Every structure is written in C-alpha cells, then in structure tokens.
Amino acid sequence: MSENEKLEQTAAGKTKADKAVKKDGKSKPGVFARMGKWFREMKSELKKVQWPTAKQTFNNTVIVIVCCIVVGICIGVFDMLAERIISALINLF
C-alpha cells in the first residue's frame, strides 16, 4: 500500500485505533491504541518536514548572532545615556 493510500485511510478514519471503538460509539479507544495512532501520525508529519541545509543553518546562525550583538550595543548605549543623565541630575541637586 502506498503512503498516499495510508494517508487517505487515516483521513477517512479507518485506522486500527478507530476499529477499537465499540459499535455504540460511546467508548474511546484504549490508551495504547491512541498512543500508537499518535506516533504513526507524528512519523508521517516528520516525513513532510523540509529540513534546512547546512549552509542555510550557518547563515541563519550568523544572522541571529549579529542581531544579538546589535541589540546588545543598542541596550548598552541606552544604559550609558540613562546613567549619565541620572548622574547629571543627581549632581545638580
């Protein structure tokens, strides 16, 4: 069975976990059936993920580091200015 057929069956609700439900529809599947269904769905979702290449990861890391440095400098400048203004006001009085 192809992966698409499996996904279609899962979407249609024809999984083993769904078969565990009683015919009256009032009880839900057991905990292990639900856990199994969750792991199968997680595995199929992880197959759909487009992982970044090493170059993209390196570029994104450099961008984050540069942004952190720029923000740190801005906060440092603001802190220095605030300190000087407050000390000047204290010295006036």
Side-chain angles (χ1 to χ4, degrees), residues 6-61:
K6 289 179 184 177
L7 292 175
E8 288 174 4
Q9 280 186 349
T10 303
K14 298 178 183 176
T15 62
K16 292 178 184 176
D18 291 333
K19 291 179 183 177
V21 177
K22 291 185 179 178
K23 291 183 180 180
D24 60 303
K26 293 182 180 178
S27 65
K28 58 184 177 182
V31 66
F32 293 111
R34 287 182 283 152
M35 285 174 42
K37 180 181 176 185
W38 185 82
F39 279 112
R40 282 191 303 275
E41 291 175 358
M42 180 183 62
K43 183 179 175 183
S44 69
E45 287 296 322
L46 284 175
K47 288 181 181 178
K48 298 176 188 177
V49 173
Q50 182 179 356
W51 298 101
T53 63
K55 184 178 179 180
Q56 290 171 330
T57 304
F58 178 78
N59 288 340
N60 291 341
T61 303

